[in-house]
Amino acid sequence: QVQLVESGGGLVQPGGSLRLSCAASRSIFSISAMGWYRQAPGKQRELVAIITSGSRITYADSVKGRFTISGDYDKNTVYLQMNNLKPEDTAVYYCNADRLGTIIWGQGAQVIVSS
């Protein structure tokens, strides 16, 4: 079974930066989109950013201008560069991949923004 593995989370001060990475455990064909979601304590999981196989990108309004998503579909890898982090960005960040309508989720990476 294919797995998505996130890395790069951690603790950072407000205004700092982190880069999250997500890679598939093996090659996956027919992926139409990869993206990042996050879930803060007591809140629902929400979209952060998506990049399609055609390089169309969508961002949540709350992260526009601060976060950048990029992907390599040949390597089934997606990245999230997070700059100017705020305490409200604290959450578990999950990557996912849409393969022919089936959504594959990673296990999550904790990001804590605190002084």
Side-chain angles (χ1 to χ4, degrees):
Q1 186 174 355
V2 176
Q3 293 181 323
L4 297 177
V5 181
E6 299 102 335
S7 60
L11 172 65
V12 64
Q13 292 186 342
S17 298
L18 282 175
R19 186 176 189 245
L20 301 180
S21 300
C22 172
S25 57
R26 61 175 177 82
S27 296
I28 311 173
F29 297 99
S30 303
I31 292 181
S32 58
M34 297 186 76
W36 291 94
Y37 287 71
R38 67 186 180 186
Q39 187 166 17
K43 294 187 177 181
Q44 291 187 331
R45 191 172 298 188
E46 63 177 5
L47 169 70
V48 176
I50 291 177
I51 182 168
T52 69
S53 58
S55 298
R56 186 168 59 191
I57 293 174
T58 301
Y59 291 105
D61 288 342
S62 59
V63 306
K64 284 180 180 177
R66 300 187 299 121
F67 291 11
T68 302
I69 188 172
S70 59
D72 184 341
Y73 275 79
D74 290 335
K75 298 181 179 178
N76 296 144
T77 303
V78 64
Y79 306 95
L80 186 68
Q81 177 66 43
M82 304 184 292
N83 298 329
N84 190 22
L85 282 159
K86 303 176 181 180
E88 52 263 42
D89 295 317
T90 295
V92 178
Y93 284 70
Y94 298 89
C95 73
N96 77 1
D98 183 344
R99 180 177 182 272
L100 301 175
T102 297
I103 305 299
I104 304 167
W105 289 97
Q107 83 286 354
Q110 178 74 59
V111 171
I112 299 173
V113 185
S114 176
S115 55

